[in-house]
Amino acid sequence: MSNPTFEADGITLEKVREHVWEIPQEGDMRTPARVLASEPLLEEISDDKTLEQLTNTTHLPGITKHAICMPDGHQGYGFPVGGVGALDAEDGCISPGAVGYDINCLTGDTDVLLEYGRRLPIEDLEKRFEEENAMVAGEEFTPSTIRLFTERDDATVYEVETETGDRITATADHPFRTPDGMRPLEELSEGDEVHLQPFRGVPDEEPEEFTVLSEDDVANENPQLVRALEDRDLLPLKSTDDAFNRFLKLVGFHTGDGAIGSGGQTWFYGEPTDLESIQDDIDAIGFTPSKIYERDRAHEIDGKTFETTEYSVRANSKAFQKVLLELGAPDGRKIESDFTTPWYFDRLTNWQKALYVSAYFGAEMSAPAAQHDKNLYCPKVSQTRVAAVADDGEEFMADIASFLGDLDIETNQIERFETDSSADRETIRLRFGVKNDSENLIRFFSTVGYRYNHEKRRKAAKAIQYLKTKEAVIDRRATIAREAKAMADGGTPAQDIKSEFDVNERFVERSIWDGRSGRPRPPAEFPGFEDYCETTTVGDDYTVAARIRSIEPIDEAHRVYDIGVTHDAHNFVADGFVVSNCGVRMMRTNLTYDDLQGREEELVDALFANVPSGLGGGGIVEAGVDTVDEILGRGVDWALENGHAVEEDLLHCEDEGMREEADPEKITQKAKDRGKNQIGSLGSGNHFLEVQRVTDVFHDEVGEAYGLEEDQIVVLIHCGSRGLGHQTCNDYLRKIEQQHQGLLNQLPDKELAAAPAGSQLAEDYYAAMNAAINFAWVNRQLIMHRTRQVFERVFDRSWETMEMDLLYDVAHNIAKKETHTVDGEERELYVHRKGATRAFPAGHPEVPKAYRDVGQPVIIPGSMGAGNFVLRGGENSMDLTFGSTAHGAGRLMSRTQAKSEYWGGDVQQQLEDQEQIYVKAQSGATVAEEAPGVYKDVDEVVRVSDELGIGDKVARTFPVCNIKG
């Protein structure tokens, strides 16, 4: 006999009837909460925070009847996945948290790397984030505007430490970039790799404001030159201007590797990649750089001749040249020049000095290199001056050394050498370098380093990680030496001491008996720097991979913060770490499983090659702003007009593929920018495209109405609105925090952020969310259209001949204004379905006409190795669940646990060998995270739905081919 109650970590659920469990209303709860599950499913649901989150949702103003958890429920963010909540549309609220959003947070002291090599604690960005650019690690290392700043209290955080000693403190949901893409911290374990950006920059300071170029400085110049400067807002030029920071870099590099030519020509010499960066800065200031020139040059040294290729770029503006010279670029032959650091150098902040110095080092300083095996040379810089101006050259170097000293970077003494005098003049060689002990070099490379020199920066990133790794190994050996000596002093036999440590026995002996002084050396097997460089990869964004040593919870709760950037990479660099609506549609065909057998690999390869997937951008169509607005406003009607759909597709889509309440103007430009390159793409995680065969039809009449029969091939597409929907939720979360703090303070969990019904913000969010729904429908429509084209090529017949028609498209994460009967009265409600599916019964006016007599189709994905189900809206759904049912099997295991228990390649092979299921994905980790054993039993989820009458079984399908992001 079943128990009348169920105890789950302090929460008591009372059994109302079979498969219905209630958490009684108490305290500040506005309604009871209900879980629809069998006892085995309830056991799984109670393993995480689902019940706590469900209880919290009952505190939302206007919540009606019950907060509901479906049979596939599991812990979400604020609101459980598989949750349904109906909130009064007049007196209640609308909650992005009950639709789906993420706040991924860092503690306030986390340094964010900003443009121009500055670093700033994230908490200090609150009042200025919209004025700042954060550094993004994408295809290259580049600045991006910040469009979002969030904060919340009382968060549980974890300290992450890598084997190289890098540390960061973050919440469990904060994503970290890994070799397999972005992964939340909760999915990472010791030994996993994360991407680091070793350049940490210089602490941010507010520059002193003063004029560096005034009208007086150009009083005697041609009026045309003056107008050119005024047109570009360079007159006057102040120390706080963005253009000045760019000029600092250009002056620094030009001092090392530039030349002033006649007629206003200003030349820069370097490698093509570096010259492209110089072109970008010249262009950003407002001038037009030349193309990159290339020429072969002959040289002779010690009687030997050889050729090199010289690359250069120039600016042809006399106005540009005038500014460069006024800001301290040397004129004429540098060997004869009396130039020193610019006249304003001492008045600059350290980060501004670093712009000038690092650009000079990019041109002139030696790259990181091995001195012998495991030690590096001192990076050195030198100049040759005629004797008459050698003191000026020494002053120049002394100023730079003094600046480095302010950053605790030690330098060697400046050296002077007499050189072979040319003609009748004496020349002096001047040289100094950065001291080469490990900690000093790490400070130098990670705070100043090199600018406008891609290869030196890549080598510096390797040098930082090499030196950190070496120091970590030495620290460990020093600890072993101390512990071994202490054990010996305490009388422990030497052999027992040797067995205690996993190091060379001779090292232990020397530690015990030889009286070791100073720090030990790394072991003989530790690689030399050049060997390390051969095996270490540095990306074009200067990131390197490092293994996690530990992830430890921090006892006290913290106030935490996050930012969002506009760049498509959607990441930023924090403490050196790179840290970032869905639905489902089914298409039927007249193909049978026999038609497909033998072609599985060809089909899965073709689909994978033609349907974009994965974390990044790239979709089936590229859109401008006007096109994105049309998609947001019109939904699938846009696809029809542009040849990506047929009329029947709209008739078989929820709301005919368009939410009329959508308003593209309520979507931010940042969200549109995220979405414009992702239209027609699967994304990653649990999103997929799957070719399936129908194995069972349980209800002949409804199966016939849906066009389903046994052995038939169908296609299931599961994805959402990609980055656009995610950004829209984040944008409105920020506004809710600013405008409705009073409501937030009343809720037990700030992640339930909500705007009061009737407020302008609630109306704006609803209009924006509906626009995002339109975007998601178009996204799935384009994928379906491309799938039709792939089938045409593989099976050599038209998609119309194969009757590749849309069965139905239904949203999974959504809040909709709907009219429901509550206590005998009809009320308009915001029905929030987060990871739940609308399931309206037969006869409901909002069910498409094609299915109104039998009920709305409901599509329930299982896992790659289990069945999927087609249901119809059940007769009891309106009374029990506001017309809702489950949306899938529901996760049983975290992604972290999945990766520790499954190996992607093994899962792939087993599915093919045992089930004849062909899977293709962007990475093995994705396959492991989505292994069949990761999910609840979809049969049990569907059984409960069917027996409760909220979603009736119609058919079952089984995977044949699957592609994932």
Side-chain angles (χ1 to χ4, degrees), residues 584-602:
V584 63
R585 68 168 46 196
M586 178 175 281
M587 175 171 57
R588 59 195 173 215
T589 77
N590 63 15
L591 299 174
T592 66
Y593 187 44
D594 284 344
D595 295 326
L596 186 56
Q597 283 187 297
R599 290 182 163 181
E600 295 94 340
E601 288 190 70
E602 178 188 2

Side-chain angles (χ1 to χ4, degrees), residues 636-680:
V636 184
D637 184 56
W638 172 90
L640 175 65
E641 183 177 295
N642 286 274
H644 305 295
V646 295
E647 190 71 39
E648 287 295 306
D649 293 337
L650 280 67
L651 300 178
H652 293 83
C653 188
E654 182 178 350
D655 297 323
E656 296 190 355
M658 182 178 74
R659 296 290 298 161
E660 293 184 356
E661 301 95 329
D663 185 351
E665 291 187 5
K666 303 306 181 185
I667 299 280
T668 64
Q669 187 59 48
K670 178 180 179 181
K672 293 174 184 177
D673 287 342
R674 287 190 67 174
K676 67 183 181 182
N677 296 321
Q678 297 180 331
I679 307 169

Side-chain angles (χ1 to χ4, degrees), residues 30 82 91 127-128 225 240 257 287 324 413 435 560 613 675 766 787:
R30 297 174 185 265
D91 300 322
K127 295 180 179 178
R128 52 190 274 203
L225 182 151
T240 51
D257 230 338
F287 295 96
L324 215 65
Q413 291 292 321
K435 287 188 176 179
V560 290
S613 62
Y766 189 65
T787 301

Side-chain angles (χ1 to χ4, degrees), residues 78-369:
F79 200 90
V81 178
V84 175
L87 283 67
D88 192 278
E90 183 175 336
D91 300 322
C93 60
I94 185 168
S95 170
V99 175
Y101 69 86
D102 297 312
I103 314 175
N104 312 303
C105 297
L106 306 164
T107 52
D109 58 354
T110 304
D111 281 336
V112 175
L113 187 59
L114 304 176
E115 189 175 21
Y116 301 128
R118 300 168 295 138
R119 66 173 187 261
L120 185 72
I122 192 170
E123 62 186 347
D124 294 342
L125 278 169
E126 179 176 7
K127 295 180 179 178
R128 52 190 274 203
F129 71 92
E130 291 180 315
E131 304 165 7
E132 288 289 359
N133 292 332
M135 296 305 295
V136 170
E139 291 184 1
E140 56 185 5
F141 194 41
T142 187
S144 173
T145 52
I146 303 173
R147 285 291 178 266
L148 175 73
F149 181 93
T150 62
E151 57 183 300
R152 60 186 169 111
D153 288 319
D154 302 326
T156 300
V157 295
Y158 300 79
E159 183 181 69
V160 183
E161 182 178 2
T162 68
E163 292 178 352
T164 47
D166 299 276
R167 292 184 178 88
I168 191 170
T169 305
T171 53
D173 51 346
H174 200 96
F176 286 74
R177 200 177 81 179
T178 75
D180 293 322
M182 283 291 180
R183 293 287 183 266
L185 178 56
E186 63 191 351
E187 297 178 12
L188 298 175
S189 307
E190 294 176 12
D192 286 344
E193 287 189 326
V194 291
H195 281 166
L196 300 179
Q197 217 300 344
F199 183 79
R200 306 296 292 277
V202 177
D204 186 43
E205 303 171 68
E206 186 68 27
E208 173 195 348
E209 183 175 309
F210 59 93
T211 299
V212 291
L213 183 73
S214 68
E215 289 85 348
D216 291 342
D217 295 320
V218 294
N220 298 323
E221 298 294 336
N222 186 305
Q224 187 176 352
L225 182 151
V226 176
R227 279 197 304 274
L229 296 177
E230 290 174 339
D231 289 346
R232 293 164 174 80
D233 293 324
L234 299 176
L235 203 63
L237 180 63
K238 296 185 178 295
S239 58
T240 51
D241 291 344
D242 182 79
F244 175 65
N245 296 324
R246 297 182 189 275
F247 269 119
L248 281 173
K249 294 186 286 177
L250 293 168
V251 171
F253 188 86
H254 190 274
T255 298
D257 230 338
I260 297 295
S262 60
Q265 292 186 353
T266 306
W267 292 90
F268 300 85
Y269 303 94
E271 293 300 313
T273 301
D274 308 322
L275 294 176
E276 287 173 8
S277 299
I278 289 173
Q279 286 175 317
D280 290 342
D281 276 330
I282 294 173
D283 182 69
I285 291 169
F287 295 96
T288 302
S290 72
K291 68 176 185 178
I292 295 174
Y293 295 98
E294 175 183 347
R295 68 169 178 168
D296 294 328
R297 300 195 65 178
H299 303 269
E300 183 176 340
I301 298 178
D302 297 330
K304 296 180 180 180
T305 60
F306 59 94
E307 283 194 353
T308 61
T309 301
E310 177 188 82
Y311 301 95
S312 59
V313 69
R314 75 181 184 215
N316 290 326
S317 167
K318 292 181 180 179
F320 175 83
Q321 188 178 89
K322 175 64 177 177
V323 178
L324 215 65
L325 290 171
E326 288 292 331
L327 295 186
D331 193 1
R333 298 192 65 193
K334 293 171 188 171
I335 193 172
E336 300 169 345
S337 175
D338 63 354
F339 75 87
T340 61
T341 52
W343 58 269
Y344 49 80
F345 188 74
D346 287 343
R347 299 180 67 177
L348 302 179
T349 62
N350 278 340
W351 64 262
Q352 288 178 310
K353 291 178 181 178
L355 292 176
Y356 173 87
V357 171
S358 62
Y360 175 70
F361 286 167
E364 290 296 301
M365 181 172 270
S366 59

